[in-house]
Amino acid sequence: MFLRAGTIRRASTICRQVLPVPVADWRDPHSVSSELDPTTLNAIVTRLESRGKDPVFRSLFDTYFDYVLERCSKVLEVGAGTGVICRALAARSFSGLLVGTDQSSVFIETARKLAIGEGVSGEKLKFLVADARSLKWDVKQNDFDCLIMHTLISHVDDPLSVLKAAREVACEGASLIIVDGDYAGLSYHSSASAALSQTVSAALVTATFASPSVVRDLPSLLSASGWELESAKGTCVSEMGKEFSYWKTFAEAYMPRVIGSGLVDKDKVMAWWDEQRRLAEDGRFFAACTYYKVIAKAV
């Protein structure tokens, strides 16, 4: 059931339940996941797992999973969250070593439990608490032939330091696979309320991503951190008409941070959300962002 005018109260309830945020702290929640309160952490866990099951999100796996399965034997995922990527690779019978790291002990413990529940746990699948800026001290290995950063780099304040840290644990010639969005171009459309829709779209980006335009800087950042760009390809992740899952749950997860930060007035956000849901119900919804798969080699 989609919201219609006059039922904004229900949407307001959603925003109180997902990712609550005090006005004083609206930093990218993923960049400070080790500092978050239990309620916010649990909400993010729910978001990561629901996103991991979404067909739109999972379609991004196909842009590089075959590459990993065919060429790699020791894989480190940096910023693994609840282990969605590592578990998916294990489920596809990856035969090498898979190590997933995250700064949040809650995410890592969740990843371990889910791997056991899905029957993919074992000696070749490990989850470790580690800081992406100092991997060599936490991981204690420097021979990975593949590193994965799947929607990580946009959530860090200092991408260069993270890329340098990744190089320190990679063997020469190792592959670095980065998948992330060019969120400066993320847009929810509305013909009737174009200005408001652009304002809320921009506020969602500001409140969610520490480095929303980082993919545009990757050629320079990779060169400065011991990596050589090998290939890059963009994929438009869009939903149109009645399609309304990936960008629906994204907005539901992060609207509370837009409101809590004061970036956009609550009444305006809720009016915008009511319209977006009605657009989807009427088959007129549109939202899109370009995601890039970037592969670099350790030099």
Side-chain angles (χ1 to χ4, degrees):
M1 177 72 70
F2 292 95
L3 291 181
R4 291 195 177 276
T7 60
I8 293 177
R9 184 179 303 170
R10 287 168 55 196
S12 179
T13 300
I14 290 173
C15 278
R16 288 197 301 270
Q17 291 175 341
V18 184
L19 300 190
V21 57
V23 173
D25 188 0
W26 52 275
R27 294 171 293 172
D28 176 344
H30 298 272
S31 70
V32 291
S33 58
S34 59
E35 305 172 22
L36 298 174
D37 62 274
T39 300
T40 303
L41 280 169
N42 288 334
I44 293 179
V45 167
T46 299
R47 161 63 182 165
L48 292 175
E49 286 303 304
S50 65
R51 184 186 72 163
K53 295 178 177 65
D54 190 286
V56 176
F57 183 76
R58 293 187 71 89
S59 68
L60 294 171
F61 299 178
D62 295 331
T63 64
Y64 68 92
F65 268 25
D66 285 345
Y67 181 99
V68 175
L69 291 167
E70 294 169 5
R71 306 188 187 195
C72 307
S73 60
K74 290 185 178 180
V75 176
L76 173 66
E77 185 191 2
V78 187
T82 55
V84 169
I85 302 300
C86 286
R87 285 155 37 212
L89 280 169
R92 292 201 188 183
S93 301
F94 178 74
S95 59
L97 174 67
L98 279 169
V99 179
T101 67
D102 201 279
Q103 66 178 344
S104 168
S105 59
V106 173
F107 292 172
I108 291 301
E109 184 58 30
T110 301
R112 289 169 179 163
K113 290 178 179 177
L114 290 171
I116 292 172
E118 294 172 5
V120 294
S121 62
E123 292 183 0
K124 290 189 175 182
L125 176 59
K126 302 177 181 179
F127 292 104
L128 305 174
V129 177
D131 190 322
R133 298 163 296 185
S134 54
L135 289 169
K136 66 179 181 180
W137 304 112
D138 297 322
V139 175
K140 297 180 174 60
Q141 278 186 246
N142 63 356
D143 60 347
F144 290 100
D145 62 7
C146 179
L147 287 89
I148 298 173
M149 298 180 183
H150 193 117
T151 61
L152 165 75
I153 204 74
S154 61
H155 288 298
V156 299
D157 295 311
D158 185 2
L160 181 60
S161 67
V162 171
L163 292 170
K164 287 181 176 179
R167 179 62 186 89
E168 291 178 337
V169 297
C171 64
E172 188 171 348
S175 298
L176 170 64
I177 300 172
I178 297 174
V179 176
D180 225 316
D182 180 22
Y183 299 107
L186 190 160
S187 179
Y188 289 78
H189 180 66
S190 167
S191 296
S193 307
L196 177 60
S197 197
Q198 290 174 6
T199 296
V200 177
S201 295
L204 282 165
V205 169
T206 299
T208 307
F209 303 103
S211 300
S213 302
V214 67
V215 294
R216 303 182 184 193
D217 293 321
L218 280 178
S220 298
L221 291 170
L222 291 167
S223 178
S225 56
W227 300 95
E228 183 177 274
L229 179 63
E230 183 175 82
S231 65
K233 185 175 182 179
T235 300
C236 181
V237 175
S238 62
E239 290 181 315
M240 184 183 296
K242 289 183 177 291
E243 292 182 346
F244 193 46
S245 61
Y246 184 77
W247 293 117
K248 173 180 181 288
T249 57
F250 174 82
E252 287 177 337
Y254 299 109
M255 280 189 299
R257 303 195 74 81
V258 171
I259 294 169
S261 68
L263 287 167
V264 183
D265 179 76
K266 179 180 178 179
D267 289 342
K268 290 183 178 179
V269 173
M270 302 323 304
W272 170 82
W273 185 232
D274 183 50
E275 183 195 24
Q276 291 296 309
R277 293 176 66 104
R278 284 189 283 107
L279 286 170
E281 182 183 41
D282 296 340
R284 297 184 292 120
F285 177 78
F286 178 87
C289 179
T290 300
Y291 281 73
Y292 288 86
K293 176 200 68 179
V294 176
I295 298 180
K297 289 291 187 179
V299 294

